Amino acid sequence: KAGVTQTPRYLIKTRGQQVTLSCSPISGHRSVSWYQQTPGQGLQFLFEYFSETQRNKGNFPGRFSGRQFSNSRSEMNVSTLELGDSALYLCASSLWGPDEKLFFGSGTQLSVL
Amino acid sequence: DQQVKQNSPSLSVQEGRISILNCDYTNSMFDYFLWYKKYPAEGPTFLISISSIKDKNEDGRFTVFLNKSAKHLSLHIVPSQPGDSAVYFCAASANQAGTALIFGKGTTLSVSS
């Protein structure tokens, strides 16, 4: 069974631009969560989608948004990029929810210059 | 306010010895705890979990201990191997549907041969 796939692996953007990251969950998994990891920080929860609905959201500004499609694939968008948005963005999928064992993708490394 | 704390950023151990990674939590509603391992340029992978109804769970060389009264859990790796060198994240969740896993900041384990 294929794992969680995230594209692209690396991105370089400049301040003020926007970016869209993509995530394909494990087949059959309906919950997709997004996390941000920065140096010295743990994994900070962004949001979770289940059956195309956002069920839970972390403490991030409205510039961070996401969506989920009917095939469970998910995208997250960051608008008006700031230098502090440089991070590894991880997507994770699970069968039912974000509070059970999560399967993570390899992440998208975003650098904002 | 950090609900899950890993107070040791790093730990160095010799091959064959025991590695003990610690994690403290503040939210008494947490009832499910997990450990993840992360190598550079990869997403975290699930290692072992424990429910609050237990105080110990073993899986091969890995054992997790939970002390609910102290709100403390630890991961023991015996014997440690060089391939165990990675960042270890502790995570916790409360029994509420859709509540996200809360992660600690991680401990970098270095096992020398």
Side-chain angles (χ1 to χ4, degrees):
Chain A
K1 196 182 248 188
V4 177
T5 304
Q6 289 187 247
T7 55
R9 285 283 278 128
Y10 303 95
L11 264 180
I12 300 176
K13 293 285 186 179
T14 56
R15 279 182 300 174
Q17 287 187 310
Q18 75 163 16
V19 66
T20 299
L21 313 181
S22 179
C23 172
S24 293
I26 291 172
S27 178
H29 285 193
R30 297 171 64 186
S31 171
V32 174
S33 301
W34 288 88
Y35 285 83
Q36 181 197 65
Q37 185 190 7
T38 51
Q41 298 294 320
L43 281 72
Q44 296 181 280
F45 175 71
L46 281 155
F47 29 66
E48 184 250 351
Y49 286 86
F50 183 87
S51 292
E52 303 177 66
T53 301
Q54 186 182 88
R55 281 201 303 192
N56 201 4
K57 190 177 191 307
N59 293 325
F60 278 82
R63 299 185 298 106
F64 292 81
S65 63
R67 59 178 176 168
Q68 187 181 33
F69 302 96
S70 58
N71 61 358
S72 293
R73 191 177 69 86
S74 177
E75 289 181 346
M76 69 162 280
N77 183 277
V78 188
S79 62
T80 320
L81 283 166
E82 300 177 358
L83 295 179
D85 297 333
S86 295
L88 178 66
Y89 290 88
L90 292 159
C91 168
S93 75
S94 62
L95 277 170
W96 296 111
D99 54 340
E100 56 176 337
K101 187 169 79 173
L102 300 177
F103 295 82
F104 283 87
S106 297
T108 294
Q109 184 66 54
L110 172 65
S111 297
V112 182
L113 306 178
Chain B
D1 180 36
Q2 267 195 288
Q3 297 184 67
V4 177
K5 299 178 184 179
Q6 293 177 257
N7 292 319
S8 298
S10 63
L11 175 67
S12 294
V13 171
Q14 281 193 319
E15 181 179 8
R17 299 289 189 104
I18 183 171
S19 295
I20 300 176
L21 295 96
N22 294 302
C23 179
D24 297 298
Y25 61 96
T26 57
N27 190 339
S28 57
M29 297 298 290
F30 287 150
D31 59 0
Y32 184 52
F33 304 89
L34 309 89
W35 285 93
Y36 280 80
K37 179 168 76 171
K38 186 180 184 300
Y39 294 116
E42 294 182 12
T45 55
F46 170 77
L47 203 53
I48 192 169
S49 64
I50 188 167
S51 162
S52 60
I53 62 173
K54 294 185 173 183
D55 54 20
K56 177 183 173 181
N57 189 25
E58 270 182 278
D59 184 1
R61 297 186 297 114
F62 303 91
T63 303
V64 57
F65 295 91
L66 176 62
N67 182 334
K68 291 185 288 294
S69 60
K71 294 191 176 68
H72 176 83
L73 64 155
S74 60
L75 174 67
H76 293 210
I77 306 173
V78 184
S80 300
Q81 300 173 353
D84 296 329
S85 297
V87 179
Y88 289 78
F89 290 100
C90 170
S93 75
N95 187 21
Q96 297 173 29
T99 304
L101 286 182
I102 306 297
F103 284 81
K105 292 187 178 183
T107 296
T108 300
L109 174 65
S110 299
V111 181
S112 55
S113 53

